Amino acid sequence: MVFNKNTPPFRSETKEAILQIAEKLNLPYSGIMQDWAYEVADRNHIQTYIDYYQATAEWDVKFVLIQMILQALEEQPEETFPAYSCIVTTLLTKDFYHHQYTIYYWAMPDEDVSDADTWRITPLMRQIWFKNSTCFRK
């Protein structure tokens, strides 16, 4: 599989969304946490993140939550990884347009997927990317 080298538009989290999630889920926040969503994500709370994602209509909040969900998925034990992979695939496929950049990032387009330096979820992100990217991008 060859990646289209046109990177999707960059998107980053908003401080307002982070603060909202931190308050609702009682998570720590300090202004110096560069990768907040990845730092605070806990694999044991993946279902909480998914439930919140499905309950909110705010795209800025969903954007941060999907980062937390992906980090928690990356760290799932073998016995729960397949089930959560299916849920995450459904979320990302449904909301692909809003999460293109995040999916592309985790797909690691410049790396060989067999490389030990890729993330565990990289093959899944690549499947989602290749299945959906032609629908939204030229």
Side-chain angles (χ1 to χ4, degrees), residues 20-36:
Q20 182 177 331
I21 294 166
E23 183 177 329
K24 182 162 177 79
L25 299 182
N26 195 28
L27 296 170
Y29 173 77
S30 105
I32 62 169
M33 297 170 82
Q34 180 178 348
D35 294 318
W36 182 83

Side-chain angles (χ1 to χ4, degrees), residues 22-73:
E23 183 177 329
K24 182 162 177 79
L25 299 182
N26 195 28
L27 296 170
Y29 173 77
S30 105
I32 62 169
M33 297 170 82
Q34 180 178 348
D35 294 318
W36 182 83
Y38 302 123
E39 289 183 43
V40 301
D42 179 338
R43 73 179 192 190
N44 296 313
H45 297 289
I46 190 170
Q47 190 61 54
T48 300
Y49 309 149
I50 291 168
D51 293 343
Y52 188 2
Y53 182 96
Q54 292 174 324
T56 189
E58 297 179 54
W59 285 111
D60 287 344
V61 171
K62 285 181 178 268
F63 182 79
V64 176
L65 286 167
I66 208 69
Q67 292 176 331
M68 296 171 70
I69 291 166
L70 291 174
Q71 184 63 45
L73 178 62

Side-chain angles (χ1 to χ4, degrees), residues 74 108 110-123 126:
E74 173 71 14
M108 300 182 73
D110 295 327
E111 302 296 327
D112 180 348
V113 78
S114 63
D115 189 347
D117 290 335
T118 62
W119 292 297
R120 179 180 181 201
I121 65 171
T122 294
R126 287 181 177 199

